[in-house]
Every structure is written in structure tokens, then in C-alpha cells.
Amino acid sequence: MTDITTEKARIGAPSAQPFINGFTEEGENLSPVNTGTNTSTTSEQPSAGPLGGASAKSHSHGGGVGIPDSSRAGRLTSYKLADFKPLNGLEEDWRFTPLKRLRGLHTEVLNGAAPAVSVTAPAGVVVETVGRDDQRIGQAAIPEDLVSANAWENFAEATVVTVPAELQAESEVSVLITGAGEAPSAQHIVIVAERFSKAVVVLDHQGSAVVSENVEIIVEDGAELTVVSLQEWADNAVHASSQQAKIGRDAKFKHIVVSLGGDLVRVTPSTRFTAPGADVEMFGLYFADAGQHLEQRLFVDHAVANCKSRVLYKGALQGRNAHSVWVGDVLIRKEAEGTDTYEANRNLVLTDGARADSVPNLEIETGLIEGAGHASATGRFDDEHLFYLMARGIPEKVARRLVVRGFLNEIIQQIKVPAIEERLTAAVERELAATDN
Amino acid sequence: MSTLEIKDLHVSIETEQGTKEILKGVSLTIKTGETHAIMGPNGSGKSTLASTIAGHPRYTVTSGTITLDGEDVLEMSVDERARAGVFLAMQYPVEVPGVTMTNFLRTAKTAIDGEAPALRTWTKDVKAAMQQLRIDADFAQRNVNEGFSGGEKKRVEILQLELFKPKFAILDETDSGLDVDALKVVSEGVNRAHEEGNMGTLLITHYTRILRYIKPDFVHVFVDGKVVEEGGPELADRLEEEGYDRYAPGAGVAVAPAVQA
Ligand SMILES: Nc1ncnc2c1ncn2[C@@H]1O[C@H](COP(=O)(O)OP(=O)(O)O)[C@@H](O)[C@H]1O
Ligand SMILES: [Mg+2]
């Protein structure tokens, strides 16, 4: 791959500059999306990586709700919309998001028809539709931003999927979420994997929608849960999804985000360890094509000792103004001795005019850990790669496919539901075919 | 028996300063079974010739022809040339993200042969070829050229040469940056491919060192985008002693006009 710099975190340097080469051509430090013009701050740190944590922070004043954004732990969380200040787009956690394209998720009352939910579940799994006052709501999540709080305040009913204790679900639970129109709406889903159960839950987002969604996930002690969130929306969809998981003792949780369709998709998954011995894997795959904004901001909260987390997000970009954002916040609190964590983001830029922002943030408050690292790399598939493959007899289309398929397959094969793996492989091929020109 | 024929080839590139002519009338004929060494100083246009034959889009042919058994190579796309039997071992092989060697080799072989190789024998062939070139087995699972050292990249080029069995191999400074052991290993690979009897070779080099292991039938001296002298292996020996200085402009020795073999 050309233009790669991979940097491991240095312990005690939580905001180590993730310096990524190859971005000089799109290199301004401040995302221009919400400022209209490039502000003068651009030249502030000419030698810093354009995606650097420190430079990022230097632009975030005035944003948020007055919390110090030097630590993820300090971010405001609240069930009340009114606790959040209106967004201006300069906040640390919104600075890459084009607010204009949120179509009211941050300003309107979210009372449009919520996407329809239909669940197919194997024997033993319990599916309920409940009101706002259900006991289980608010057990795992609390909004971390205004758009999530807006959904919390406005959702009418919630879907609760429960995998009862010790049940080994024999097939995946499929939650089909189909957009019901373009009025801004709110959605709420709760997934509970009770003690020692084992299941795969697929959230399958399709159709047209403007929706803010909260997904609460409880993984009880010893449970083993996989949640796959597929965003295969229609081209005009706008989707903000906060997916927060609370992880019990010795539990295993695998979270996979796949964003392919939609005009603007912003997924913010958080996992919080609440007891030792748990193991979390978070994977992501995105394929941004012309004009698409696909954003993923994850948070792993190592709040207790002896837990393990692994994060790998991979994205392909092609076409003019294809934009992806990946922000990985990993916090190892003082109590979290024995933590073992590694996060990585890899992007593959297939054409000119696409932009991948990648910001790993690792905060380490204790030195007594097993290991902590991060990596971020963005490679470009350019004419030289193409020439090399074609000079070996491989036709151009096959060459592109070979590269992208190989790159993304590492994530797809994590899903381990053959039907979905096949569907995604086909979807990636379609993405590639769509921009054959 | 095949023939690769280059006639009065003129090639230019676009630079910031405008169009620059690099090849200024190159003629060369290579037949199956022959090894032609092209020797010349840095910047004389050797890589330009190699890349132009392979079809790199950077180079514009302004006049002249390249034919393979009479077929117009210049009309073919890069992949078509490879499938027609032209193989370029590159001076600087690029790292290709996302594609494992295994996957790459099989895909290329399938494209070149027009059908997928039988899996059992193919896997065996790849393994054996890797072993002979002293390439670690775990390279098969790594991405193409990613993180390979200079010498490893060159061996992998020759691995492809042995597996794809082209009609014509163009080796662009495959010897540069190799230590003596690697040079031997790589040369043996080229010689094995030759011994199968269906290949002609254009061996581009800056040094004479590799010619101790790969015996050329013809030597062409290349200076400033042209062949300035041609002869047999003895010409290489002379170059070894005298270097390229005598071809430099202003050097006392008159440059002999190239004579087409
Ligand atoms: N990107 C470029 N811009 C300008 N000139 C170039 C470029 N690439 C190659 N050249 C010129 O083309 C000529 C031939 O280069 P090359 O074919 O690489 O020679 P060789 O392989 O014999 O060393 C050289 O004079 C070189 O300076
Ligand atoms: Mg060269």
C-alpha cells in the first residue's frame, strides 16, 4: 500500500499524533463541512498530521456543552434533550458531520413515523413491543449527544429482543427495520442477552428514512452475543444510531457495523465493561461512494480490570466527495488494570476526490496493563497498482474487485452468518459496479 | 517459435517542462530461445523501453511499431499484452493492498491461461517454485509485495515468471539490489524458465554481474534512448572493463551506428 504510516500508541501519550500520510491533498486540520469556508486555523499546525488528535482538540473550543473534551470520560450524557446545547458543527464529536444533511435530526421534533420493525427469531427468543415506561429501557444506555437525546425524548415504542438465560439460539435473530418515509423520526431497540445465552442479532436497516435510533444492548454475565448492524439504506436516507452495550462478567460481545447505503449514516457504538473477564470485538466495514457521508465513532470504556477489546474498522471509498469518518475512543481508566486493547482503522481510497478521516484516541490512566495500541492507515489504490495487476493479465474490473474484496473480506468473514456474508459480498460487488465508468 | 519485433520506436513522456522524447528510434528483434541483454547507463531509457512494451499509460509512442508474431502490440491493453505472452519483471514492483499472493497468483494464472488452473497441481507448483527461489512459505498469505524487501520483491517477480510461462520475459534490472546469493537464485529461476524452451528474454541491466549467470546471445548498448552498439557476449566483457564512458558525448571514441542484427 502506498502512503501508509502506522503508529502504535505510546503509553502515557494518550493523544499521540496519528500521522497519516497521503492526505496532504485534502489536508486541512479543521473539517470544512460545518464552517462554510476554510478558517484561518488551517495553518495553525502545518507540520502536524491533518487528522491528529491534538490539532483536532485545538479546534474544538466553543463546541459541546462546556465539558473538557480532553477526556472522553468527561463528555456530557443525559436523557434530557434540553441538557444539550444546540449544535453548531464545531463540537469535537460533530466536527466532521455535515449538519445541513441531518435533515432536522438535530433541530426537529422527531415525531415522524418510525421505521417499521419486523423480527424473525429462532425458538426461545422473546420479542416484545413495549411502551416508554418499560423497566428495561435505560438499563444499558444514556444519550451521549443531542441527536441521540432527541430520539430518546421522542420515541413512541421500543422493540425488546430477549435471549433467555442459557439459551443457545440456533439461528440468527433478524430484526428488519424498514424506513417508513422521510419525516424525521425516532427509534428504540433493546437487546438483552441473559446469563450464559448465546445468540446473533442482525439489525437490518433498509428503505428510506430520516431517523435517530438508540440501540441498548445488555450482555449479561457469561453470555456470548453478536450484534450486526447493517445499513443498506436507500440513497436518500439519513441515519444516526447510538448503539450502547453494557458488558457483564466473562461475557463475550462482538459488534459489527456495516454501512453501505444512505446519504448520511452516523453510527456511534459504545461498549462499557462493568465486570472483569469480558472480551469485546468491534468490527466495521463501510463503502462510501460519490457524495456519501459514512461516519463511525466508537467508544470502548475499560472501566474495570482484566478485560480485552479488539477493534478493526475497514473502509473503501470511491467517487467524488465520498467521505468516511472513523473516530476510535478507547479509555483505560485507573481501575482497569490488566486491560488488553488494540484498535485499528484501515481505509482504501479507490479514486480521487474521496476523503477518509481517521482519528484513533487512546487514553491510558494506568500503566498496569497487558497491552494497548492503535493503528490507522490509509492506502490509495492508484494507477501503479492497477498497472501491476493488469501487467499480469488481470482485466481492470477484475483487478479492482480483487483488491476491494480482499480488503473488506477480513471484516465480512467475521459475521459468520453465511447468508449475510454472501449478501454483503454481493453488495460490495454492486458498489464496485455502480461506479464503473 | 515466436518473434517480438520493435521497429524504430520513439517514445515520449509528459513532464512539467512539457513533452520529453526519451526513446529516439529503437529497433530490436527477439526470438524464442534467445537472450538479449540491454546494457546502458542510468537514465538512458531502459525502463522506458520495458514499460512501453508492457503498455504503461505514462509513455506515449509517437512513432514506430511493436509486434508479437505480427500482431500489433501497441493496439493491445496492458492485460491483453500479458495474456498475449509478454511478461515484465519490474524494476520497482509495487505493493498491492488487500490482495494475498495466493489469490493474486491464481487470479493472474487464470486470466493468462483463460481457465482456472487445476487446484491440486497448481498449489504444488506454487509451493515448489517458491522453494526453489527460497521464498518462505508464509509469503503466500501476505499481501502482494507488502513489506517485502527489495530482494524478496525481485524473487517474487521471477516466481511469477516461472509460473505464468510467458513467451517473452523482459527483466528490468532484476539484478539491482541483490546480493550474490540472491542473484544466483534469481538467475537460476530465469535459466529454468529458459530451459523449458518456449521463451525469449530481454535482460535489462546496468551491470555485467548478472551476465555471469545468465548468458546472453546478443548484447545491445543503450545510450540516450538509442542502441549505440550491438554485438555478442564479448561486448559485455568489454563494457565490464571500459564502462560506458566511451559512449558519453565528447568522449574520444566515435559512437558506432547501431546495426540491426
Ligand atoms: N517522471 C519523470 N519526469 C521527468 N523525466 C523522467 C521521469 N521519469 C523518467 N524520466 C526521464 O526519462 C529518462 C529515462 O528514464 P528511464 O527509462 O527510467 O531510464 P533507465 O531505466 O535507463 O535508468 C531519464 O532521463 C529520466 O530522467
Ligand atoms: Mg530503469
Side-chain angles (χ1 to χ4, degrees):
Chain A
M1 240 193 242
T2 53
D3 300 327
I4 282 199
T5 301
T6 299
E7 185 182 316
K8 293 218 170 144
R10 292 181 297 271
I11 292 184
S15 54
Q17 285 282 340
F19 187 79
I20 300 167
N21 288 325
F23 273 87
T24 43
E25 73 273 26
E26 43 241 328
E28 70 284 272
N29 291 344
L30 178 62
S31 166
V33 289
N34 294 313
T35 55
T37 57
N38 247 342
T39 66
S40 58
T41 49
T42 310
S43 55
E44 222 169 66
Q45 293 177 306
S47 63
L51 313 172
S55 61
K57 274 163 197 146
S58 70
H59 298 301
S60 58
H61 30 244
V65 260
I67 344 117
D69 54 20
S70 56
S71 172
R72 177 63 197 244
R75 185 170 296 178
L76 175 88
T77 57
S78 172
Y79 294 110
K80 285 215 188 80
L81 177 60
D83 288 344
F84 293 88
K85 273 195 194 165
L87 299 183
N88 61 24
L90 300 177
E91 299 82 359
E92 170 57 28
D93 62 331
W94 289 99
R95 66 194 180 98
F96 291 116
T97 320
L99 298 185
K100 277 181 236 153
R101 285 160 61 187
L102 275 179
R103 292 175 67 184
L105 289 181
H106 61 313
T107 50
E108 308 286 308
V109 177
L110 304 182
N111 55 7
V117 177
S118 106
V119 185
T120 314
V125 172
V126 181
V127 181
E128 300 157 84
T129 304
V130 303
R132 295 179 54 89
D133 52 357
D134 189 273
Q135 291 284 309
R136 289 161 294 189
I137 287 167
Q139 294 290 312
I142 178 164
E144 297 171 308
D145 64 53
L146 175 137
V147 170
S148 164
N150 198 11
W152 203 288
E153 204 146 294
N154 285 294
F155 76 91
E157 56 187 21
T159 302
V160 180
V161 173
T162 305
V163 188
E166 297 188 27
L167 181 82
Q168 311 277 304
E170 61 204 24
S171 61
E172 74 274 15
V173 181
S174 167
V175 182
L176 184 60
I177 299 162
T178 310
E182 295 181 41
S185 60
Q187 184 115 47
H188 203 103
I189 310 239
V190 180
I191 301 166
V192 184
E194 292 185 351
R195 294 164 60 90
F196 302 107
S197 65
K198 186 175 174 187
V200 176
V201 178
V202 181
L203 305 175
D204 192 349
H205 300 93
Q206 301 194 4
S208 238
V210 176
V211 62
S212 175
E213 175 185 48
N214 284 300
V215 179
E216 297 190 69
I217 302 163
I218 298 172
V219 191
E220 292 186 358
D221 294 353
E224 201 176 322
L225 177 69
T226 297
V227 171
V228 185
S229 182
L230 305 180
Q231 286 68 242
E232 275 204 88
W233 295 108
D235 289 346
N236 60 352
V238 176
H239 182 208
S241 184
S242 164
Q243 309 196 355
Q244 300 188 30
K246 197 168 103 178
I247 317 293
R249 176 183 287 269
D250 299 327
K252 279 196 164 67
F253 178 52
K254 190 195 274 195
H255 187 257
I256 304 169
V257 174
V258 179
S259 292
L260 299 174
D263 176 59
L264 186 157
V265 176
R266 185 183 195 266
V267 183
T268 49
S270 298
T271 50
R272 292 196 168 74
F273 293 104
T274 64
D279 188 332
V280 162
E281 293 176 292
M282 299 173 80
F283 295 102
L285 180 166
Y286 44 93
F287 196 132
D289 47 40
Q292 257 188 327
H293 178 92
L294 301 179
E295 178 164 350
Q296 20 271 312
R297 291 175 166 268
L298 61 94
F299 179 35
V300 182
D301 190 353
H302 280 275
V304 296
N306 298 318
C307 289
K308 180 178 169 186
S309 61
R310 287 289 179 273
V311 176
L312 178 62
Y313 273 64
K314 288 183 130 183
L317 295 91
Q318 86 177 354
R320 279 203 67 70
N321 298 320
H323 189 195
S324 72
V325 178
W326 179 85
V327 179
D329 292 338
V330 175
L331 171 61
I332 305 172
R333 295 184 196 254
K334 206 161 177 358
E335 304 78 0
E337 292 179 5
T339 290
D340 179 5
T341 179
Y342 194 83
E343 63 165 347
N345 174 223
R346 308 206 178 279
N347 294 299
L348 180 60
V349 178
L350 296 167
T351 62
D352 288 340
R355 169 186 169 123
D357 286 298
S358 178
V359 187
N361 289 314
L362 182 56
E363 289 179 72
I364 306 175
E365 295 175 352
T366 173
L368 302 171
I369 56 172
E370 275 299 299
H374 68 189
S376 166
T378 295
R380 193 170 275 285
F381 183 69
D382 62 22
D383 291 347
E384 293 303 322
H385 298 122
L386 190 60
F387 176 69
Y388 189 84
L389 296 174
M390 289 178 73
R392 272 51 174 146
I394 303 171
E396 174 166 357
K397 280 186 188 177
V398 178
R400 283 188 183 281
R401 213 159 277 169
L402 187 69
V403 167
V404 176
R405 196 193 280 156
F407 179 73
L408 296 180
N409 203 33
E410 190 180 356
I411 304 296
I412 293 178
Q413 69 197 15
Q414 287 296 335
I415 295 174
K416 305 211 192 316
V417 179
I420 291 184
E421 290 185 6
E422 277 162 35
R423 197 178 114 192
L424 290 180
T425 302
V428 167
E429 308 278 319
R430 274 199 307 280
E431 294 278 340
L432 280 167
T435 11
D436 279 344
N437 42 27
Chain B
M1 170 71 103
S2 289
T3 307
L4 180 66
E5 195 168 13
I6 300 161
K7 271 194 193 151
D8 194 28
L9 191 69
H10 290 252
V11 171
S12 59
I13 59 166
E14 293 306 320
T15 71
E16 276 158 23
Q17 288 80 40
T19 306
K20 180 176 174 189
E21 183 171 58
I22 297 180
L23 298 190
K24 302 169 180 172
V26 178
S27 297
L28 203 59
T29 302
I30 308 165
K31 297 195 165 81
T32 301
E34 296 175 353
T35 298
H36 293 245
I38 289 196
M39 305 193 60
N42 282 330
S44 57
K46 303 184 300 294
S47 290
T48 301
L49 175 63
S51 300
T52 302
I53 298 170
H56 195 291
R58 207 175 129 61
Y59 302 96
T60 311
V61 176
T62 52
S63 68
T65 58
I66 304 177
T67 56
L68 201 170
D69 294 335
E71 298 283 324
D72 186 355
V73 171
L74 295 175
E75 276 299 305
M76 301 178 195
S77 61
V78 176
D79 51 316
E80 283 169 349
R81 295 178 197 205
R83 294 198 295 272
V86 175
F87 178 86
L88 169 62
M90 299 191 196
Q91 185 174 2
Y92 304 108
V94 296
E95 306 189 355
V96 185
V99 185
T100 62
M101 284 297 301
T102 303
N103 197 1
F104 162 67
L105 292 173
R106 198 179 46 229
T107 306
K109 183 68 175 172
T110 304
I112 290 165
D113 290 2
E115 58 177 353
L119 204 57
R120 289 275 296 286
T121 50
W122 174 245
T123 313
K124 225 174 65 203
D125 291 351
V126 173
K127 245 192 182 152
M130 284 176 71
Q131 234 158 33
Q132 282 179 315
L133 289 164
R134 320 253 160 83
I135 300 170
D136 272 354
D138 67 354
F139 272 58
Q141 293 319 312
R142 291 170 61 180
N143 286 339
V144 177
N145 292 324
E146 209 170 87
F148 296 9
S149 72
E152 287 161 350
K153 285 180 183 169
K154 297 297 177 74
R155 284 180 217 211
V156 164
E157 294 292 286
I158 302 307
L159 172 69
Q160 295 170 52
L161 170 69
E162 289 203 70
L163 292 170
F164 301 158
K165 307 191 187 309
K167 288 184 183 145
F168 291 97
I170 302 157
L171 311 179
D172 189 3
E173 296 207 27
T174 298
D175 53 332
S176 301
L178 295 183
D179 62 28
V180 177
D181 290 338
L183 186 63
K184 277 188 197 160
V185 167
V186 159
S187 302
E188 283 163 17
V190 176
N191 290 333
R192 276 194 299 273
H194 239 279
E195 277 155 19
E196 293 197 6
N198 299 312
M199 189 174 87
T201 303
L202 187 61
L203 178 73
I204 294 173
T205 179
H206 179 76
Y207 305 104
T208 50
R209 199 172 56 137
I210 194 171
L211 304 182
R212 284 178 220 149
Y213 306 102
I214 302 174
K215 292 287 165 212
D217 303 299
F218 306 94
V219 175
H220 312 262
V221 182
F222 209 73
V223 177
D224 190 26
K226 286 193 295 283
V227 175
V228 294
E229 191 167 4
E230 293 176 309
E234 73 288 344
L235 183 51
D237 298 333
R238 207 171 144 199
L239 279 170
E240 167 118 355
E241 278 156 34
E242 300 174 13
Y244 297 112
D245 285 352
R246 68 194 190 91
Y247 301 106
V253 184
V255 167
V259 183
Q260 190 50 28

